[in-house]
Amino acid sequence: MSLRYYIFLKDVLVLALTSFGGPQAHMAMMFKMLVDKRRYISEKELIELNALCQILPGPTSTQTITALGYKIGGPNLAYLTLLVWITPAATIMTLAGLGISYLQQNNISLNFLKFIQPMAVGFVAYAAYMISSKVVNTKLAVGLMVVSAIIGYFYNSPWVYPLLLIGGGVITAFRFKQHPQEKGQKLQIQWANFVLYVGVLVTAAVLGGATSLLPIRLFENFYRNGSLVFGGGQVLIPLMYTEFVDFKKYLTAEEFLSGFAMVQALPGPVFAYCSYIGSLAMRGYGIPGQLLGSFVATVGIFLPGTFLIFFVIRFWDGLKKFRVVRASLEGVSAVSSGMVVAAAIMLYHPIDNTILNFGLVVTTFCLLMFTKVPPPVLILTGLIMGFVFG
């Protein structure tokens, strides 16, 4: 491996340890380090890569930096880039899951987490506002957002969300004539990575059903969810909550909210939250089981987006010229924002509806909205308050 590749991976590690604030903040730091400082790629190329990742399911910033690794050094560097990017946050969230389990097994109160749970709802509410303000720009998009929020709230089955996403994309695809036509080119599609993507999904589903082994079922659950999430980590939250808290009861609402709050205080991908969920889902099997649960959850959530970016990047320049593709993105984005709105409401229900808790939700939202206080500072403040006043 050339010296240039080692330098690139070192830069990715620096980003993984310092990129707080979600996909938008990640992109800002990528521009600063990878474009302005190192010139691995042009600004236009990075913007186009990010646009590609936004129309694919999966973690946007993770796919963007993986795709960049692919452009620089091919598949091998891309996989190394993915590992370096996700490992720090995934490791910390795995340890958080082990820590929560240890405290519970030894009957140590988790009351010190009581303030960061309503704060997590404030984070989700802010994410809903930010996503909707960026992608909901037409009356149809507003309608799709409202309808998807209502349906997602009242019918929170694991299968409702993918149907809503597909439906939203189909509805706005019919408006393709509103988009300017570009001269297209014949697509040269290499199907190997797509076949691999589908093959893993089908194999995991068949093995999970045949064996009923929890690690295999967990891998299938996270792989499926990773195949359905458009719009980044915040959109993942309603899917995770519905399937693993409401439906399968692998963890409590309080544990879920505490973990989500913790991941807000970490650099790197929000999808690393799944390492925590996987760990708690297998707490009945001891520490080895929890480590296995964390591993299969992490691999499951990140793998589909990786397969898809490897598949699409080869013919992206031709695909983005199709108006139907650009038009369907409007509906997918609107539905995604509606799902996050529904998640903010659902996540508040398990919390005691007191003036203090409601005030913490509103205060967190306002601090994120009107100040530049970093999210890690907010979460650490909440934890300190929990230790002092818990």
Side-chain angles (χ1 to χ4, degrees):
M1 194 163 66
S2 73
L3 179 61
R4 184 169 184 255
Y5 295 168
Y6 283 112
I7 294 172
F8 173 73
L9 290 173
K10 185 202 71 153
D11 291 337
V12 172
L13 179 60
V14 170
L15 287 172
L17 295 172
T18 59
S19 295
F20 294 90
Q24 289 76 28
H26 296 167
M27 281 303 298
M29 293 196 68
M30 286 181 200
F31 273 111
K32 185 175 180 181
M33 176 170 284
L34 305 179
V35 176
D36 296 340
K37 183 179 178 181
R38 298 291 192 191
R39 303 192 183 281
Y40 293 115
I41 194 172
S42 71
E43 184 173 316
K44 181 182 178 184
E45 287 175 314
L46 185 55
I47 290 171
E48 286 190 349
L49 276 182
N50 187 244
L52 163 61
C53 297
Q54 286 179 340
I55 70 167
L56 292 175
T60 304
S61 53
T62 300
Q63 288 171 306
T64 300
I65 202 164
T66 303
L68 179 53
Y70 185 92
K71 284 182 75 73
I72 293 171
N76 291 336
L77 185 63
Y79 279 116
L80 287 172
T81 301
L82 175 67
L83 285 173
V84 171
W85 170 249
I86 68 175
T87 297
T91 300
I92 294 171
M93 290 310 295
T94 300
L95 293 174
L98 292 171
I100 292 286
S101 300
Y102 174 81
L103 294 175
Q104 290 174 329
Q105 289 166 5
N106 290 275
N107 296 316
I108 299 172
S109 173
L110 300 180
N111 210 36
F112 66 92
L113 299 173
K114 69 178 183 180
F115 292 125
I116 66 170
Q117 291 166 6
M119 290 174 72
V121 179
F123 274 96
V124 179
Y126 177 70
Y129 170 79
M130 292 301 294
I131 293 171
S132 61
S133 66
K134 290 179 184 297
V135 302
V136 181
N137 303 311
T138 66
K139 289 182 179 178
L140 177 60
V142 171
L144 286 171
M145 181 184 74
V146 172
V147 170
S148 64
I150 293 171
I151 294 175
Y153 177 75
F154 286 106
Y155 301 98
N156 53 347
S157 159
W159 298 104
V160 167
Y161 294 113
L163 293 176
L164 286 173
L165 288 167
I166 294 168
V170 170
I171 288 170
T172 57
F174 286 106
R175 294 158 56 95
F176 69 92
K177 291 183 179 179
Q178 297 183 8
H179 292 259
Q181 191 166 10
E182 297 183 31
K183 288 186 178 181
Q185 60 186 47
K186 191 173 181 180
L187 294 180
Q188 299 291 330
I189 301 178
Q190 300 176 36
W191 290 98
N193 278 291
F194 185 77
V195 171
L196 188 60
Y197 159 74
V198 174
V200 172
L201 179 62
V202 172
T203 302
V206 171
L207 285 177
T211 66
S212 295
L213 292 173
L214 183 55
I216 297 176
R217 286 190 286 120
L218 275 178
F219 175 82
E220 187 277 328
N221 295 160
F222 283 101
Y223 191 92
R224 171 168 39 82
N225 282 310
S227 303
L228 298 171
V229 175
F230 294 82
Q234 285 76 17
V235 181
L236 184 72
I237 300 309
L239 291 171
M240 296 287 106
Y241 186 85
T242 298
E243 179 151 2
F244 297 113
V245 178
D246 277 350
F247 192 61
K248 294 177 177 171
K249 303 189 185 304
Y250 287 152
L251 64 166
T252 66
E254 292 76 18
E255 291 167 344
F256 184 93
L257 282 169
S258 297
F260 182 67
M262 285 181 222
V263 84
Q264 300 300 314
L266 297 181
V270 176
F271 272 52
Y273 178 45
C274 294
S275 306
Y276 170 86
I277 297 176
S279 174
L280 288 182
M282 289 193 62
R283 67 184 116 185
Y285 297 85
I287 291 178
Q290 288 192 268
L291 292 174
L292 177 61
S294 176
F295 177 76
V296 298
T298 305
V299 174
I301 201 68
F302 283 105
L303 200 56
T306 305
F307 284 151
L308 289 173
I309 192 65
F310 280 12
F311 168 58
V312 176
I313 195 172
R314 291 177 168 91
F315 60 90
W316 168 234
D317 287 337
L319 183 66
K320 65 187 177 184
K321 296 180 184 296
F322 287 88
R323 293 186 290 173
V324 171
V325 173
R326 300 201 303 274
S328 64
L329 181 59
E330 179 188 0
V332 171
S333 298
V335 169
S336 294
S337 62
M339 287 161 50
V340 181
V341 171
I345 300 170
M346 286 191 297
L347 290 173
Y348 186 71
H349 283 320
I351 301 172
D352 291 335
N353 187 22
T354 63
I355 294 176
L356 173 61
N357 284 337
F358 185 76
L360 283 170
V361 174
V362 174
T363 301
T364 302
F365 179 90
C366 290
L367 287 171
L368 292 168
M369 183 77 183
F370 300 112
T371 74
K372 294 183 178 180
V373 179
V377 172
L378 292 177
I379 297 304
L380 290 174
T381 302
L383 281 171
I384 292 169
M385 288 169 56
F387 280 112
V388 174
F389 301 107

